[in-house]
Amino acid sequence: MTNTILHKANTRGHADHGWLNSFQSFSFAGYYNPQRVQFGVLRVLNDDRVEGGKGFGSHPHDNMEIISIPLEGSLVHQDNMGHKEVVSAGEIQVMSTGSGVFHSEYNNDPDKLVKFLQIWVYPNKLNVTPRYDQVRLDPHKEHNALQQLIYPYPGSTQAKPSNDGTWIYQDAWFHMGTFDAGRKIAYDLKKPGNGIYLFVIDGAFLYNGQRLDTRDGLGITGTDSIDLEAAEQGSRILIMDVPMKNNIQ
Amino acid sequence: MDINILAVGREAAILQVVERLINSHEGWHATIATTEQEAINAFKAKPYTIVFVCAGFSAQEEENLRQRLTQLDAAVVVTRHFGGGSGLLENEILGILATK
């Protein structure tokens, strides 16, 4: 039986630190809602805006797959693995933090806001050697189509060779697409037992007659496929296909 | 309510951040340990509400530690901490306390 859980944009957690304005789809930091802790292995979905020149100073992470998707502007990332990189809108950044990494992340522009999604997924392998990757997306693959951003690591039983996007230590797939009004989208889940979390980045979509507006989230379980329709011109969506139970190795 | 939290892991620099973050919260008191034996010694010295198993410990080591500590105190929550202190630590503690 298909089940859904709707997270309207205006019900998200919110933290305004001045330099950082963060909207949190799931409990994070000082925002704790026992009804909104995670969706399967998807633990964090923060919709962050950081003022020009500001950012997160050096801090640690471990045993978490962290995906950053800049929507506007760019971030400068530096870590103790030796990376100093700028990641801009049109690219994605992935860190498998494993046994532990320290990094900083700042708005690369002194004046303009950077807007980005910060997504954390529980890994299915503990204490791996930390890894950093950054991938440029192809805007042509995203128009009226779903472009793959994330897929399972090459050693996974679910792995299929791919040049689209990059991998994480989890049997998870992320896709993103921008659609014309009225365009229909069919998506087949990649692994039995996975659930799907939809996040509307721009515009609006219809799922089973239910309208999802900008920054709304919808979790769906108990199905192996979904059908969506773009309700506005230029509607953009992120589809996260994730295990509902974590089988840690 | 005052609570003691023991964080066990093999990445000392991260544990120190975890310790600082826990201690910054009124009424929460952290102790850190980098080996199973250190953890058991600390556990015998005073009562703990939560034991976080952090980076460097495998799932099997986590289970071994859980078995040993719950033999000493059946009420203790021994659980994995994910994320290295940043973002989720306070949430994990609040979640555990909500179930107690």
Side-chain angles (χ1 to χ4, degrees):
Chain A
M1 188 180 107
T2 301
N3 290 304
T4 62
I5 183 160
L6 177 64
H7 297 149
K8 294 297 288 180
N10 63 3
T11 67
R12 295 178 295 172
H14 182 215
D16 187 350
H17 300 286
W19 64 272
L20 167 67
N21 197 10
S22 179
F23 294 87
Q24 298 143 349
S25 295
F26 300 101
S27 297
F28 189 80
Y31 164 59
Y32 178 69
N33 178 346
Q35 307 304 318
R36 297 271 287 261
V37 174
Q38 65 199 93
F39 179 78
V41 300
L42 173 61
R43 177 62 183 83
V44 172
L45 173 50
N46 290 354
D47 179 6
D48 288 348
R49 297 116 205 257
V50 174
E51 294 289 332
K54 305 291 187 184
F56 306 89
S58 182
H59 60 280
H61 293 293
D62 64 36
N63 287 326
M64 193 63 76
E65 304 298 295
I66 300 180
I67 300 120
S68 296
I69 306 176
L71 301 174
E72 289 180 33
S74 59
L75 294 160
V76 57
H77 160 102
Q78 191 162 5
D79 64 44
N80 64 349
M81 295 181 279
H83 300 100
K84 185 173 183 182
E85 308 286 349
V86 173
V87 56
S88 303
E91 297 177 303
I92 58 168
Q93 178 202 69
V94 166
M95 277 198 304
S96 297
T97 63
S99 61
V101 61
F102 279 74
H103 84 133
S104 63
E105 203 143 46
Y106 285 88
N107 187 339
N108 192 45
D109 190 293
D111 303 314
K112 293 179 185 167
L113 207 61
V114 61
K115 299 180 181 178
F116 66 104
L117 302 179
Q118 186 185 167
I119 301 166
W120 295 16
V121 173
Y122 286 117
N124 60 10
K125 286 174 80 75
L126 293 173
N127 305 320
V128 298
T129 300
R131 167 182 173 265
Y132 177 93
D133 198 10
Q134 185 175 324
V135 174
R136 173 158 288 282
L137 304 174
D138 182 346
H140 301 294
K141 288 185 177 176
E142 195 187 310
H143 182 227
N144 286 329
L146 291 170
Q147 176 169 204
Q148 180 173 272
L149 311 185
I150 297 292
Y151 56 92
Y153 66 100
S156 165
T157 56
Q158 300 298 318
K160 291 179 183 170
S162 176
N163 293 320
D164 289 332
T166 185
W167 54 269
I168 62 173
Y169 286 101
Q170 188 52 268
D171 291 337
W173 292 259
F174 289 11
H175 289 78
M176 191 161 66
T178 303
F179 296 89
D180 297 337
R183 195 79 181 202
K184 293 188 167 48
I185 306 118
Y187 179 85
D188 294 327
L189 277 78
K190 303 292 186 269
K191 183 183 176 187
N194 272 17
I196 198 162
Y197 195 85
L198 308 175
F199 186 72
V200 179
I201 296 171
D202 290 310
F205 289 85
L206 298 172
Y207 169 74
N208 270 355
Q210 185 168 31
R211 184 182 169 95
L212 306 174
D213 291 299
T214 301
R215 289 345 196 228
D216 286 353
L218 182 73
I220 308 168
T221 56
T223 187
D224 54 13
S225 64
I226 61 162
D227 293 296
L228 296 167
E229 181 180 340
E232 294 177 5
Q233 190 68 13
S235 292
R236 192 178 196 199
I237 196 164
L238 174 63
I239 297 179
M240 291 165 276
D241 179 341
V242 295
M244 297 309 293
K245 290 183 181 173
N246 197 8
N247 293 313
I248 290 182
Q249 298 165 20
Chain B
M1 181 180 76
D2 277 23
I3 58 164
N4 294 321
I5 300 168
L6 177 60
V8 190
R10 296 213 165 84
E11 300 295 328
I14 293 180
L15 283 180
Q16 286 164 11
V17 174
V18 170
E19 180 182 35
R20 176 174 55 78
L21 290 171
I22 292 172
N23 287 336
S24 70
H25 197 289
E26 190 178 348
W28 294 358
H29 310 287
T31 301
I32 58 176
T34 55
T35 66
E36 183 176 336
Q37 195 55 52
E38 267 184 42
I40 290 164
N41 292 343
F43 198 80
K44 286 177 176 173
K46 63 180 176 185
Y48 288 89
T49 305
I50 301 167
V51 176
F52 279 128
V53 181
C54 303
F57 273 63
S58 68
Q60 186 58 54
E61 289 172 312
E62 176 185 347
E63 184 54 33
N64 293 344
L65 189 60
R66 180 178 291 109
Q67 286 183 14
R68 292 189 69 177
L69 297 184
T70 52
Q71 282 174 358
L72 297 169
D73 178 0
V76 68
V77 174
V78 181
T79 189
R80 174 71 55 172
H81 167 59
F82 288 92
S86 307
L88 296 187
L89 184 64
E90 183 179 0
N91 253 245
E92 290 173 345
I93 295 169
L94 291 172
I96 292 165
L97 295 180
T99 63
K100 285 212 161 264

